[in-house]
Amino acid sequence: GGFDVVLGNPPWERVKLQEQEFFASRNEKISGAVNAAARKKLIADLSQSNPVLWAEWCVASRDSEGQSHLVRESGRYPLCGRGDVNTYAIFAEHNRNLLGRNGRAGFIVPIGIATDDTTKDFFGDLMSRENLAAFYGFENEGKLFKGIDHRVNFCLLILSTPTIHAPVFSAFIREPSALRDPGRVYHLTAADIATLNPNTGTCPVFRTRRDAEINLAIYLRIGVLWRDKDPQGNSWDLRFMAMFHMASDSGLFHTRTGVEAAGLRSVGNKMTKVASLLLPVCEAKMLYHYNHRFGDFALLAPDERGHILPQVPDEKLADAHYATTPRYWVAESEVDSRLRGVWSRKWLLGWRDITDARSSVRTVVASLIPRQAVGNTVPLMFTEVRPHLVAALYAGLCSFVLDYAARQKIGGVHLTYSYLKQLPVLAPMVYEKQATWCSSSAILDWLLPRVLELTYTAWALEPFAHDVGYDGPPFRWDPDRRFILRAELDAAFFHLYGISHDDADYILDTFPIVRKNDEKAHGEYRTKRVILEIYDAMAEATRTGKPYQTRLDPPPADSS
């Protein structure tokens, strides 16, 4: 009838044979090949150059293929025997199947068992059948497992044959004793997870009970950006695109040395000659919130490789004609072919794919940029709503409250389409409503001047300004005004998301690098203080009916 108790720490190994690992101790030339294609060619040559090693490789490949076939085709692992199979997932399903009618299983596996796409069916089945008793997520920063990198996250997964309606969760634990703190554990039902992650059904991970409560309340009020299975679930009518892949499209890229040798000359950050125009390739490190000129390859020292770009100083950004220099250029015709039938405007909206919810200043970094070539590190979004609403969408993506929600979702270093779809992004209709803190204005009309002044600081984005109805010159790059503009937007979004003053205070405290940078520059957490002051002023305006008055003189987007 099955076991009463199953305990274990199963192996964590990919079933697929890893070429680099196999050859690391056998042939350094193969393991150190410059790329996968070169490595495969060297392996194929072994049949002539080293028949003994070739035979070892063939045996290992046959063994790996046999294991994969058994896992996928035997029917024993219907939930975990798919995708890039890992042994820990197979053991998880096996342990569950071994239990008797009153059994419990507890085992140590990577947190991916509950958060990854390849194991979402297994986790979803646990929740729907109410067989999950507890999920305790650990960081290895405390070196509980000394032989594992400190960045590896793992969990204790506890299963139960008798049903458990609301299992216990905890995450980012470093010592088991932390589980005794009631503020570090929380309960989630299957319905809660369906609210938080309706597309994937995967497990959200929160640091504290308060985080779980705040986020669940946000998602119940707002919903998600895009519900896959709902015909009406894409209220923004969005489409996504990766325009150019930095690896597979590299043959289309031109370096400065190449274009100068071909006789092209620079016009701003473009390259041109009589018959052709090359557009700059935008990469994620070149962008930030409300700033498409954040990083510049031209500012690198000769011996620097460019993993991190120098931030463009304010004095350069004050020049509305200034354009950053890219690493590569692509023919304008190639850009036009990618966008044809998809997007006709002379500007683009995208976001940084590379992120890190644990160590980045901000997690969601969106940016509005001129029409140009864009690498896959900046996925693009397109919508048919009017440009004024796109500006509001952009502002929401840049807000602290949206960023806070994203930090609870992203476990790796990529803000993928699936993550973005399940973030709590306000629907377009929200922006058509009246602003409670300014009764004479719609929310969209209140937001737009602030987004416009923050965004339109260079002539390159003149088409965006025209599309939202502004025909004047770019706005001055004024760091002090920009700080207040962003604080007003963040305070407004805290109100739009229904966040209380105390919860806004708490949310802003979850951005330690923002605090650290503020204290270093200003001697206090200035960002938090000013946002909360403006939040309170808006709350008072809502209470009294007397419109909120901006601190800025002249007011936002004033042409003077």
Side-chain angles (χ1 to χ4, degrees):
F3 289 90
D4 296 316
V5 178
V6 175
L7 296 175
N9 180 6
W12 309 353
E13 300 287 346
R14 291 171 66 183
V15 171
K16 182 180 178 181
L17 185 60
Q18 303 304 298
E19 295 171 348
Q20 284 181 286
E21 292 179 12
F22 180 85
F23 287 104
S25 61
R26 295 175 173 89
N27 188 307
E28 291 184 3
K29 185 177 180 181
I30 295 177
S31 63
V34 293
N35 54 43
R39 188 178 307 113
K40 291 185 184 300
K41 185 177 185 305
L42 291 171
I43 293 172
D45 292 342
L46 285 176
S47 61
Q48 300 297 322
S49 62
N50 191 335
V52 174
L53 183 54
W54 172 252
E56 288 184 39
W57 169 252
C58 290
V59 169
S61 297
R62 174 67 183 89
D63 183 57
S64 173
E65 291 165 5
Q67 290 183 37
S68 179
H69 181 77
L70 173 68
V71 166
R72 296 172 188 278
E73 305 299 333
S74 67
R76 291 189 61 184
Y77 311 105
L79 300 175
C80 294
R82 57 184 67 183
D84 194 359
V85 179
N86 195 298
T87 52
Y88 79 78
I90 300 305
F91 273 91
E93 188 166 2
H94 179 61
N95 291 346
R96 182 192 190 188
N97 292 336
L98 290 176
L99 293 177
R101 71 177 72 181
N102 294 307
R104 285 264 182 144
F107 42 94
I108 304 169
V109 289
I111 64 166
I113 193 70
T115 61
D116 287 356
D117 187 67
T118 54
T119 52
K120 66 182 180 183
D121 291 334
F122 175 69
F123 182 77
D125 196 66
L126 290 179
M127 292 301 301
S128 64
R129 295 176 182 270
E130 300 188 332
N131 291 148
L132 181 66
F135 170 93
Y136 298 129
F138 282 81
E139 296 178 313
N140 201 39
E141 296 290 345
K143 300 301 285 186
L144 289 171
F145 289 94
K146 293 181 172 56
I148 296 177
D149 189 276
H150 70 99
R151 294 168 294 182
V152 172
N153 292 341
F154 60 92
C155 69
L156 303 183
L157 195 70
I158 303 171
L159 311 184
S160 169
T161 305
T163 57
I164 306 289
H165 177 63
V168 181
F169 291 83
S170 188
F172 304 104
I173 298 294
R174 296 186 178 183
E175 294 290 339
S177 59
L179 293 171
R180 300 192 187 101
D181 179 356
R184 295 303 305 273
V185 296
Y186 50 92
H187 296 266
L188 293 174
T189 66
D192 293 336
I193 289 176
T195 297
L196 293 160
N197 283 334
N199 298 338
T200 62
T202 51
C203 177
V205 288
F206 303 111
R207 288 187 177 276
T208 67
R209 175 181 292 183
R210 187 171 186 179
D211 287 323
E213 292 171 347
I214 291 173
N215 276 270
L216 186 57
I218 287 174
Y219 280 87
L220 286 169
R221 285 192 296 268
I222 307 301
V224 297
L225 174 62
W226 187 338
R227 295 180 70 98
D228 283 340
K229 298 178 181 178
D230 182 352
Q232 307 300 317
N234 182 7
S235 62
W236 285 95
D237 192 24
L238 288 174
R239 292 157 292 163
F240 298 141
M241 171 196 282
M243 186 187 292
F244 291 101
H245 288 271
M246 300 303 290
S248 59
D249 288 324
S250 59
L252 301 172
F253 296 171
H254 302 272
T255 63
R256 174 173 284 277
T257 303
V259 296
E260 289 178 347
L264 278 75
R265 61 184 179 85
S266 63
V267 179
N269 62 351
K270 302 173 184 177
M271 291 288 180
T272 185
K273 60 181 180 180
V274 175
S276 64
L277 180 66
L278 297 183
L279 299 181
V281 176
C282 175
E283 299 180 47
K285 64 191 82 173
M286 303 174 73
L287 306 175
Y288 209 66
H289 301 133
Y290 304 112
N291 187 5
H292 69 280
R293 303 181 294 169
F294 179 74
D296 190 340
F297 279 90
L299 300 180
L300 284 173
D303 58 340
E304 290 184 289
R305 300 187 61 185
H307 296 303
I308 299 175
L309 292 182
Q311 187 172 339
V312 177
D314 289 334
E315 55 266 27
K316 284 186 175 292
L317 294 171
D319 179 1
H321 292 281
Y322 169 76
T324 56
T325 300
R327 179 167 49 164
Y328 304 112
W329 287 262
V330 166
E332 183 180 37
S333 58
E334 290 287 347
V335 174
D336 290 342
S337 69
R338 304 291 169 107
L339 294 177
R340 188 173 295 116
V342 178
W343 186 250
S344 60
R345 299 193 182 277
K346 301 299 183 182
W347 46 271
L348 304 165
L349 177 60
W351 72 94
R352 284 187 181 183
D353 168 75
I354 304 297
T355 187
D356 188 343
R358 295 174 294 179
S359 61
S360 295
V361 179
R362 297 289 295 270
T363 306
V364 180
V365 178
S367 191
L368 197 144
I369 62 178
R371 185 184 176 104
Q372 63 187 91
V374 183
N376 62 286
T377 55
V378 184
L380 301 173
M381 61 175 66
F382 306 111
T383 173
E384 295 301 319
V385 302
R386 59 195 177 108
H388 303 66
L389 281 169
V390 178
L393 171 62
Y394 178 31
L397 293 173
C398 294
S399 68
F400 270 109
V401 63
L402 189 279
D403 207 298
Y404 166 72
R407 284 169 177 253
Q408 323 297 320
K409 288 282 185 76
I410 301 170
V413 294
H414 294 281
L415 177 48
T416 62
Y417 300 148
S418 60
Y419 279 130
L420 191 74
K421 284 181 176 182
Q422 293 187 139
L423 295 184
V425 176
L426 296 168
M429 67 184 70
V430 171
Y431 297 107
E432 306 288 358
K433 298 178 180 178
Q434 187 180 65
T436 59
W437 58 88
C438 186
S439 57
S440 62
S441 175
I443 294 168
L444 179 59
D445 296 334
W446 188 92
L447 294 175
L448 183 59
R450 291 158 174 82
V451 179
L452 175 62
E453 183 175 337
L454 285 167
T455 304
Y456 184 34
T457 58
W459 286 106
L461 282 175
E462 185 177 22
F464 168 73
H466 287 173
D467 283 349
V468 296
Y470 179 78
D471 293 324
F475 295 94
R476 289 185 300 116
W477 182 275
D478 183 333
D480 293 332
R481 278 184 65 87
R482 293 177 66 80
F483 172 73
I484 298 300
L485 287 166
R486 293 196 62 177
E488 288 187 332
L489 287 171
D490 276 306
F493 277 101
F494 277 124
H495 280 286
L496 293 175
Y497 275 77
I499 304 296
S500 69
H501 174 101
D502 288 346
D503 284 344
D505 186 316
Y506 171 80
I507 287 171
L508 289 167
D509 277 337
T510 65
F511 291 85
I513 304 177
V514 178
R515 174 193 284 274
K516 179 181 176 182
N517 292 342
D518 265 15
E519 291 176 345
K520 182 178 179 180
H522 308 288
E524 60 159 336
Y525 192 0
R526 183 182 68 150
T527 300
K528 173 181 169 181
R529 175 179 61 80
V530 174
I531 289 175
L532 291 180
E533 287 174 356
I534 295 173
Y535 176 98
D536 289 342
M538 289 178 168
E540 180 66 10
T542 300
R543 187 184 68 81
T544 63
K546 184 178 180 180
Y548 165 79
Q549 296 297 315
T550 181
R551 298 183 177 193
L552 295 172
D553 183 21
D558 188 295
S559 59
S560 63

